[in-house]
Amino acid sequence: SNPEREPPIIVTASSPPEGPTNPAAFIFIYGLGDDGVGLENVPGQFRSVSKLSHLSWILPNALENHETIQTAWYIPTALSSYPSSCLELEDEGDDAGMKSSIAYLVSLIDDLVAKRVPEKSVVLGGFS
């Protein structure tokens, strides 16, 4: 059974784009263990100083991961202060988790494009 993903939090533009400019959106992702709710104050901070009011914000949620016991876009490899001298012993990256997250984020972009937001007006960013 596939784990259920919480739907993204969508904060719509507080004012329409001025003149003939197109709508714009920011898909804003977070680091290990956080969620979209934890970022809801970010659009509010910009709006409180009258910045980026034409921008819609998409705050997606990563899946709850049974290995990390928290939300994760992919399973991070172990961080060791002593790198292995033998590359064969290095941890494998979580390719499946990474590809799944990429596919999900691409689907969010596709949804925006379907709602007439030009691809060039979609920003994907975040922090960890």
PDB file of all heavy atoms in Angstrom, residues 10-13 17 22-28 52 54-58 108-109 111-113 117-125:
ATOM      1  N   ILE A  10      -2.201  25.667  -0.431  1.00  0.00           N
ATOM      2  CA  ILE A  10      -2.167  26.642  -1.519  1.00  0.00           C
ATOM      3  C   ILE A  10      -2.577  28.003  -0.957  1.00  0.00           C
ATOM      4  O   ILE A  10      -3.659  28.144  -0.385  1.00  0.00           O
ATOM      5  CB  ILE A  10      -3.094  26.218  -2.675  1.00  0.00           C
ATOM      6  CG1 ILE A  10      -2.602  24.875  -3.237  1.00  0.00           C
ATOM      7  CG2 ILE A  10      -3.148  27.302  -3.751  1.00  0.00           C
ATOM      8  CD1 ILE A  10      -3.499  24.250  -4.261  1.00  0.00           C
ATOM      9  N   VAL A  11      -1.685  28.963  -1.082  1.00  0.00           N
ATOM     10  CA  VAL A  11      -1.946  30.335  -0.659  1.00  0.00           C
ATOM     11  C   VAL A  11      -2.075  31.150  -1.939  1.00  0.00           C
ATOM     12  O   VAL A  11      -1.080  31.378  -2.635  1.00  0.00           O
ATOM     13  CB  VAL A  11      -0.812  30.871   0.241  1.00  0.00           C
ATOM     14  CG1 VAL A  11      -1.115  32.300   0.681  1.00  0.00           C
ATOM     15  CG2 VAL A  11      -0.587  29.956   1.446  1.00  0.00           C
ATOM     16  N   THR A  12      -3.293  31.522  -2.285  1.00  0.00           N
ATOM     17  CA  THR A  12      -3.513  32.215  -3.554  1.00  0.00           C
ATOM     18  C   THR A  12      -3.001  33.655  -3.478  1.00  0.00           C
ATOM     19  O   THR A  12      -2.833  34.213  -2.392  1.00  0.00           O
ATOM     20  CB  THR A  12      -5.006  32.216  -3.940  1.00  0.00           C
ATOM     21  OG1 THR A  12      -5.749  32.805  -2.885  1.00  0.00           O
ATOM     22  CG2 THR A  12      -5.507  30.808  -4.179  1.00  0.00           C
ATOM     23  N   ALA A  13      -2.777  34.223  -4.646  1.00  0.00           N
ATOM     24  CA  ALA A  13      -2.301  35.608  -4.733  1.00  0.00           C
ATOM     25  C   ALA A  13      -3.272  36.522  -3.999  1.00  0.00           C
ATOM     26  O   ALA A  13      -4.487  36.370  -4.108  1.00  0.00           O
ATOM     27  CB  ALA A  13      -2.168  36.026  -6.191  1.00  0.00           C
ATOM     28  N   PRO A  17      -2.171  39.968 -10.703  1.00  0.00           N
ATOM     29  CA  PRO A  17      -1.024  40.601 -11.366  1.00  0.00           C
ATOM     30  C   PRO A  17      -1.446  41.910 -12.010  1.00  0.00           C
ATOM     31  O   PRO A  17      -2.555  42.018 -12.523  1.00  0.00           O
ATOM     32  CB  PRO A  17      -0.614  39.571 -12.428  1.00  0.00           C
ATOM     33  CG  PRO A  17      -1.238  38.293 -11.998  1.00  0.00           C
ATOM     34  CD  PRO A  17      -2.465  38.653 -11.219  1.00  0.00           C
ATOM     35  N   ASN A  22       1.340  37.861 -16.492  1.00  0.00           N
ATOM     36  CA  ASN A  22       0.731  36.570 -16.211  1.00  0.00           C
ATOM     37  C   ASN A  22       0.802  36.238 -14.730  1.00  0.00           C
ATOM     38  O   ASN A  22       1.623  36.785 -14.007  1.00  0.00           O
ATOM     39  CB  ASN A  22       1.476  35.489 -17.002  1.00  0.00           C
ATOM     40  CG  ASN A  22       1.272  35.640 -18.495  1.00  0.00           C
ATOM     41  OD1 ASN A  22       0.156  35.803 -18.963  1.00  0.00           O
ATOM     42  ND2 ASN A  22       2.358  35.611 -19.237  1.00  0.00           N
ATOM     43  N   PRO A  23      -0.040  35.286 -14.315  1.00  0.00           N
ATOM     44  CA  PRO A  23       0.059  34.826 -12.935  1.00  0.00           C
ATOM     45  C   PRO A  23       1.397  34.122 -12.701  1.00  0.00           C
ATOM     46  O   PRO A  23       2.033  33.659 -13.641  1.00  0.00           O
ATOM     47  CB  PRO A  23      -1.105  33.843 -12.798  1.00  0.00           C
ATOM     48  CG  PRO A  23      -1.469  33.457 -14.184  1.00  0.00           C
ATOM     49  CD  PRO A  23      -1.063  34.596 -15.072  1.00  0.00           C
ATOM     50  N   ALA A  24       1.809  34.079 -11.456  1.00  0.00           N
ATOM     51  CA  ALA A  24       3.071  33.448 -11.097  1.00  0.00           C
ATOM     52  C   ALA A  24       2.874  32.623  -9.826  1.00  0.00           C
ATOM     53  O   ALA A  24       1.969  32.896  -9.040  1.00  0.00           O
ATOM     54  CB  ALA A  24       4.151  34.504 -10.882  1.00  0.00           C
ATOM     55  N   ALA A  25       3.720  31.614  -9.648  1.00  0.00           N
ATOM     56  CA  ALA A  25       3.603  30.753  -8.475  1.00  0.00           C
ATOM     57  C   ALA A  25       4.979  30.326  -7.986  1.00  0.00           C
ATOM     58  O   ALA A  25       5.921  30.196  -8.772  1.00  0.00           O
ATOM     59  CB  ALA A  25       2.761  29.521  -8.806  1.00  0.00           C
ATOM     60  N   PHE A  26       5.062  30.097  -6.689  1.00  0.00           N
ATOM     61  CA  PHE A  26       6.285  29.637  -6.039  1.00  0.00           C
ATOM     62  C   PHE A  26       5.959  28.323  -5.331  1.00  0.00           C
ATOM     63  O   PHE A  26       5.132  28.297  -4.423  1.00  0.00           O
ATOM     64  CB  PHE A  26       6.750  30.681  -5.026  1.00  0.00           C
ATOM     65  CG  PHE A  26       8.152  30.481  -4.490  1.00  0.00           C
ATOM     66  CD1 PHE A  26       8.786  31.524  -3.836  1.00  0.00           C
ATOM     67  CD2 PHE A  26       8.838  29.290  -4.622  1.00  0.00           C
ATOM     68  CE1 PHE A  26      10.074  31.374  -3.326  1.00  0.00           C
ATOM     69  CE2 PHE A  26      10.125  29.130  -4.119  1.00  0.00           C
ATOM     70  CZ  PHE A  26      10.734  30.173  -3.470  1.00  0.00           C
ATOM     71  N   ILE A  27       6.558  27.236  -5.796  1.00  0.00           N
ATOM     72  CA  ILE A  27       6.443  25.942  -5.112  1.00  0.00           C
ATOM     73  C   ILE A  27       7.600  25.903  -4.126  1.00  0.00           C
ATOM     74  O   ILE A  27       8.766  25.875  -4.519  1.00  0.00           O
ATOM     75  CB  ILE A  27       6.517  24.766  -6.102  1.00  0.00           C
ATOM     76  CG1 ILE A  27       5.391  24.872  -7.128  1.00  0.00           C
ATOM     77  CG2 ILE A  27       6.452  23.433  -5.347  1.00  0.00           C
ATOM     78  CD1 ILE A  27       5.493  23.859  -8.263  1.00  0.00           C
ATOM     79  N   PHE A  28       7.271  25.948  -2.842  1.00  0.00           N
ATOM     80  CA  PHE A  28       8.271  26.155  -1.791  1.00  0.00           C
ATOM     81  C   PHE A  28       8.360  24.902  -0.932  1.00  0.00           C
ATOM     82  O   PHE A  28       7.391  24.531  -0.266  1.00  0.00           O
ATOM     83  CB  PHE A  28       7.843  27.364  -0.953  1.00  0.00           C
ATOM     84  CG  PHE A  28       8.927  27.936  -0.098  1.00  0.00           C
ATOM     85  CD1 PHE A  28       9.970  28.658  -0.661  1.00  0.00           C
ATOM     86  CD2 PHE A  28       8.894  27.777   1.273  1.00  0.00           C
ATOM     87  CE1 PHE A  28      10.966  29.207   0.137  1.00  0.00           C
ATOM     88  CE2 PHE A  28       9.886  28.330   2.073  1.00  0.00           C
ATOM     89  CZ  PHE A  28      10.922  29.046   1.508  1.00  0.00           C
ATOM     90  N   LEU A  52       5.396  40.702  -3.248  1.00  0.00           N
ATOM     91  CA  LEU A  52       4.991  39.466  -3.936  1.00  0.00           C
ATOM     92  C   LEU A  52       3.503  39.136  -3.790  1.00  0.00           C
ATOM     93  O   LEU A  52       3.121  37.979  -3.779  1.00  0.00           O
ATOM     94  CB  LEU A  52       5.842  38.277  -3.456  1.00  0.00           C
ATOM     95  CG  LEU A  52       7.353  38.423  -3.599  1.00  0.00           C
ATOM     96  CD1 LEU A  52       8.058  37.190  -3.037  1.00  0.00           C
ATOM     97  CD2 LEU A  52       7.742  38.643  -5.041  1.00  0.00           C
ATOM     98  N   HIS A  54       1.236  39.348  -5.908  1.00  0.00           N
ATOM     99  CA  HIS A  54       0.701  38.736  -7.133  1.00  0.00           C
ATOM    100  C   HIS A  54       1.029  37.245  -7.214  1.00  0.00           C
ATOM    101  O   HIS A  54       0.556  36.549  -8.106  1.00  0.00           O
ATOM    102  CB  HIS A  54       1.293  39.432  -8.359  1.00  0.00           C
ATOM    103  CG  HIS A  54       2.756  39.161  -8.531  1.00  0.00           C
ATOM    104  ND1 HIS A  54       3.713  39.723  -7.713  1.00  0.00           N
ATOM    105  CD2 HIS A  54       3.430  38.360  -9.393  1.00  0.00           C
ATOM    106  CE1 HIS A  54       4.900  39.281  -8.070  1.00  0.00           C
ATOM    107  NE2 HIS A  54       4.764  38.445  -9.096  1.00  0.00           N
ATOM    108  N   LEU A  55       1.841  36.761  -6.281  1.00  0.00           N
ATOM    109  CA  LEU A  55       2.359  35.397  -6.334  1.00  0.00           C
ATOM    110  C   LEU A  55       1.465  34.443  -5.552  1.00  0.00           C
ATOM    111  O   LEU A  55       1.063  34.738  -4.437  1.00  0.00           O
ATOM    112  CB  LEU A  55       3.761  35.409  -5.715  1.00  0.00           C
ATOM    113  CG  LEU A  55       4.670  34.224  -5.904  1.00  0.00           C
ATOM    114  CD1 LEU A  55       5.035  34.052  -7.368  1.00  0.00           C
ATOM    115  CD2 LEU A  55       5.944  34.428  -5.084  1.00  0.00           C
ATOM    116  N   SER A  56       1.171  33.289  -6.159  1.00  0.00           N
ATOM    117  CA  SER A  56       0.533  32.197  -5.424  1.00  0.00           C
ATOM    118  C   SER A  56       1.631  31.301  -4.877  1.00  0.00           C
ATOM    119  O   SER A  56       2.673  31.123  -5.509  1.00  0.00           O
ATOM    120  CB  SER A  56      -0.377  31.372  -6.346  1.00  0.00           C
ATOM    121  OG  SER A  56      -1.465  32.145  -6.775  1.00  0.00           O
ATOM    122  N   TRP A  57       1.408  30.736  -3.719  1.00  0.00           N
ATOM    123  CA  TRP A  57       2.383  29.867  -3.068  1.00  0.00           C
ATOM    124  C   TRP A  57       1.815  28.468  -2.972  1.00  0.00           C
ATOM    125  O   TRP A  57       0.672  28.280  -2.560  1.00  0.00           O
ATOM    126  CB  TRP A  57       2.684  30.371  -1.655  1.00  0.00           C
ATOM    127  CG  TRP A  57       3.343  31.711  -1.607  1.00  0.00           C
ATOM    128  CD1 TRP A  57       2.758  32.928  -1.823  1.00  0.00           C
ATOM    129  CD2 TRP A  57       4.716  31.977  -1.318  1.00  0.00           C
ATOM    130  NE1 TRP A  57       3.683  33.928  -1.685  1.00  0.00           N
ATOM    131  CE2 TRP A  57       4.891  33.379  -1.368  1.00  0.00           C
ATOM    132  CE3 TRP A  57       5.803  31.169  -1.010  1.00  0.00           C
ATOM    133  CZ2 TRP A  57       6.118  33.981  -1.129  1.00  0.00           C
ATOM    134  CZ3 TRP A  57       7.025  31.777  -0.764  1.00  0.00           C
ATOM    135  CH2 TRP A  57       7.176  33.168  -0.828  1.00  0.00           C
ATOM    136  N   ILE A  58       2.604  27.494  -3.353  1.00  0.00           N
ATOM    137  CA  ILE A  58       2.238  26.083  -3.225  1.00  0.00           C
ATOM    138  C   ILE A  58       3.214  25.498  -2.201  1.00  0.00           C
ATOM    139  O   ILE A  58       4.432  25.525  -2.422  1.00  0.00           O
ATOM    140  CB  ILE A  58       2.369  25.323  -4.564  1.00  0.00           C
ATOM    141  CG1 ILE A  58       1.741  26.100  -5.728  1.00  0.00           C
ATOM    142  CG2 ILE A  58       1.827  23.904  -4.439  1.00  0.00           C
ATOM    143  CD1 ILE A  58       0.287  26.406  -5.609  1.00  0.00           C
ATOM    144  N   LEU A 108       2.950  19.020  -9.801  1.00  0.00           N
ATOM    145  CA  LEU A 108       2.466  20.309  -9.288  1.00  0.00           C
ATOM    146  C   LEU A 108       2.689  21.411 -10.316  1.00  0.00           C
ATOM    147  O   LEU A 108       1.827  22.281 -10.504  1.00  0.00           O
ATOM    148  CB  LEU A 108       3.165  20.662  -7.972  1.00  0.00           C
ATOM    149  CG  LEU A 108       2.867  19.765  -6.774  1.00  0.00           C
ATOM    150  CD1 LEU A 108       3.688  20.209  -5.560  1.00  0.00           C
ATOM    151  CD2 LEU A 108       1.382  19.746  -6.445  1.00  0.00           C
ATOM    152  N   ILE A 109       3.839  21.381 -10.995  1.00  0.00           N
ATOM    153  CA  ILE A 109       4.105  22.356 -12.061  1.00  0.00           C
ATOM    154  C   ILE A 109       3.103  22.172 -13.194  1.00  0.00           C
ATOM    155  O   ILE A 109       2.520  23.137 -13.695  1.00  0.00           O
ATOM    156  CB  ILE A 109       5.557  22.232 -12.562  1.00  0.00           C
ATOM    157  CG1 ILE A 109       6.544  22.603 -11.449  1.00  0.00           C
ATOM    158  CG2 ILE A 109       5.778  23.101 -13.810  1.00  0.00           C
ATOM    159  CD1 ILE A 109       7.991  22.251 -11.739  1.00  0.00           C
ATOM    160  N   ASP A 111       0.114  20.983 -13.012  1.00  0.00           N
ATOM    161  CA  ASP A 111      -1.192  21.486 -12.554  1.00  0.00           C
ATOM    162  C   ASP A 111      -1.271  23.000 -12.701  1.00  0.00           C
ATOM    163  O   ASP A 111      -2.301  23.541 -13.112  1.00  0.00           O
ATOM    164  CB  ASP A 111      -1.443  21.110 -11.091  1.00  0.00           C
ATOM    165  CG  ASP A 111      -1.684  19.623 -10.879  1.00  0.00           C
ATOM    166  OD1 ASP A 111      -1.907  18.897 -11.877  1.00  0.00           O
ATOM    167  OD2 ASP A 111      -1.638  19.189  -9.710  1.00  0.00           O
ATOM    168  N   LEU A 112      -0.186  23.699 -12.362  1.00  0.00           N
ATOM    169  CA  LEU A 112      -0.168  25.156 -12.498  1.00  0.00           C
ATOM    170  C   LEU A 112      -0.251  25.572 -13.957  1.00  0.00           C
ATOM    171  O   LEU A 112      -0.999  26.499 -14.306  1.00  0.00           O
ATOM    172  CB  LEU A 112       1.103  25.726 -11.849  1.00  0.00           C
ATOM    173  CG  LEU A 112       1.138  25.676 -10.328  1.00  0.00           C
ATOM    174  CD1 LEU A 112       2.551  25.939  -9.815  1.00  0.00           C
ATOM    175  CD2 LEU A 112       0.149  26.660  -9.726  1.00  0.00           C
ATOM    176  N   VAL A 113       0.499  24.882 -14.817  1.00  0.00           N
ATOM    177  CA  VAL A 113       0.470  25.198 -16.248  1.00  0.00           C
ATOM    178  C   VAL A 113      -0.941  24.971 -16.800  1.00  0.00           C
ATOM    179  O   VAL A 113      -1.439  25.766 -17.604  1.00  0.00           O
ATOM    180  CB  VAL A 113       1.537  24.381 -17.004  1.00  0.00           C
ATOM    181  CG1 VAL A 113       1.376  24.520 -18.510  1.00  0.00           C
ATOM    182  CG2 VAL A 113       2.941  24.821 -16.577  1.00  0.00           C
ATOM    183  N   VAL A 117      -0.773  29.185 -15.686  1.00  0.00           N
ATOM    184  CA  VAL A 117       0.437  29.823 -15.164  1.00  0.00           C
ATOM    185  C   VAL A 117       1.573  29.383 -16.090  1.00  0.00           C
ATOM    186  O   VAL A 117       1.840  28.197 -16.204  1.00  0.00           O
ATOM    187  CB  VAL A 117       0.742  29.391 -13.711  1.00  0.00           C
ATOM    188  CG1 VAL A 117       2.029  30.049 -13.223  1.00  0.00           C
ATOM    189  CG2 VAL A 117      -0.423  29.728 -12.778  1.00  0.00           C
ATOM    190  N   PRO A 118       2.221  30.326 -16.786  1.00  0.00           N
ATOM    191  CA  PRO A 118       3.300  29.929 -17.700  1.00  0.00           C
ATOM    192  C   PRO A 118       4.442  29.248 -16.945  1.00  0.00           C
ATOM    193  O   PRO A 118       4.771  29.648 -15.825  1.00  0.00           O
ATOM    194  CB  PRO A 118       3.775  31.256 -18.298  1.00  0.00           C
ATOM    195  CG  PRO A 118       2.708  32.252 -17.996  1.00  0.00           C
ATOM    196  CD  PRO A 118       2.008  31.776 -16.764  1.00  0.00           C
ATOM    197  N   GLU A 119       5.049  28.254 -17.585  1.00  0.00           N
ATOM    198  CA  GLU A 119       6.183  27.556 -16.949  1.00  0.00           C
ATOM    199  C   GLU A 119       7.260  28.534 -16.484  1.00  0.00           C
ATOM    200  O   GLU A 119       7.842  28.371 -15.417  1.00  0.00           O
ATOM    201  CB  GLU A 119       6.806  26.547 -17.916  1.00  0.00           C
ATOM    202  CG  GLU A 119       6.026  25.266 -18.033  1.00  0.00           C
ATOM    203  CD  GLU A 119       6.688  24.272 -18.970  1.00  0.00           C
ATOM    204  OE1 GLU A 119       7.630  24.648 -19.713  1.00  0.00           O
ATOM    205  OE2 GLU A 119       6.267  23.109 -18.964  1.00  0.00           O
ATOM    206  N   LYS A 120       7.516  29.564 -17.303  1.00  0.00           N
ATOM    207  CA  LYS A 120       8.567  30.533 -16.946  1.00  0.00           C
ATOM    208  C   LYS A 120       8.206  31.348 -15.715  1.00  0.00           C
ATOM    209  O   LYS A 120       9.063  32.028 -15.159  1.00  0.00           O
ATOM    210  CB  LYS A 120       8.850  31.462 -18.127  1.00  0.00           C
ATOM    211  CG  LYS A 120       7.701  32.403 -18.456  1.00  0.00           C
ATOM    212  CD  LYS A 120       8.012  33.330 -19.595  1.00  0.00           C
ATOM    213  CE  LYS A 120       6.830  34.272 -19.798  1.00  0.00           C
ATOM    214  NZ  LYS A 120       7.051  35.247 -20.820  1.00  0.00           N
ATOM    215  N   SER A 121       6.951  31.275 -15.282  1.00  0.00           N
ATOM    216  CA  SER A 121       6.501  32.019 -14.114  1.00  0.00           C
ATOM    217  C   SER A 121       6.305  31.134 -12.892  1.00  0.00           C
ATOM    218  O   SER A 121       5.652  31.520 -11.925  1.00  0.00           O
ATOM    219  CB  SER A 121       5.190  32.755 -14.432  1.00  0.00           C
ATOM    220  OG  SER A 121       5.407  33.690 -15.475  1.00  0.00           O
ATOM    221  N   VAL A 122       6.859  29.927 -12.956  1.00  0.00           N
ATOM    222  CA  VAL A 122       6.815  29.004 -11.818  1.00  0.00           C
ATOM    223  C   VAL A 122       8.225  28.885 -11.258  1.00  0.00           C
ATOM    224  O   VAL A 122       9.166  28.600 -11.988  1.00  0.00           O
ATOM    225  CB  VAL A 122       6.293  27.613 -12.234  1.00  0.00           C
ATOM    226  CG1 VAL A 122       6.339  26.646 -11.051  1.00  0.00           C
ATOM    227  CG2 VAL A 122       4.879  27.701 -12.803  1.00  0.00           C
ATOM    228  N   VAL A 123       8.361  29.142  -9.962  1.00  0.00           N
ATOM    229  CA  VAL A 123       9.642  29.018  -9.288  1.00  0.00           C
ATOM    230  C   VAL A 123       9.550  27.812  -8.347  1.00  0.00           C
ATOM    231  O   VAL A 123       8.560  27.667  -7.614  1.00  0.00           O
ATOM    232  CB  VAL A 123       9.986  30.294  -8.476  1.00  0.00           C
ATOM    233  CG1 VAL A 123      11.259  30.093  -7.664  1.00  0.00           C
ATOM    234  CG2 VAL A 123      10.093  31.484  -9.402  1.00  0.00           C
ATOM    235  N   LEU A 124      10.562  26.958  -8.387  1.00  0.00           N
ATOM    236  CA  LEU A 124      10.669  25.838  -7.455  1.00  0.00           C
ATOM    237  C   LEU A 124      11.859  26.140  -6.562  1.00  0.00           C
ATOM    238  O   LEU A 124      12.984  26.330  -7.038  1.00  0.00           O
ATOM    239  CB  LEU A 124      10.872  24.522  -8.207  1.00  0.00           C
ATOM    240  CG  LEU A 124      11.126  23.285  -7.369  1.00  0.00           C
ATOM    241  CD1 LEU A 124       9.954  22.993  -6.445  1.00  0.00           C
ATOM    242  CD2 LEU A 124      11.401  22.088  -8.270  1.00  0.00           C
ATOM    243  N   GLY A 125      11.627  26.223  -5.273  1.00  0.00           N
ATOM    244  CA  GLY A 125      12.706  26.552  -4.354  1.00  0.00           C
ATOM    245  C   GLY A 125      12.379  26.066  -2.962  1.00  0.00           C
ATOM    246  O   GLY A 125      11.364  25.398  -2.730  1.00  0.00           O
TER     247      GLY A 125
END
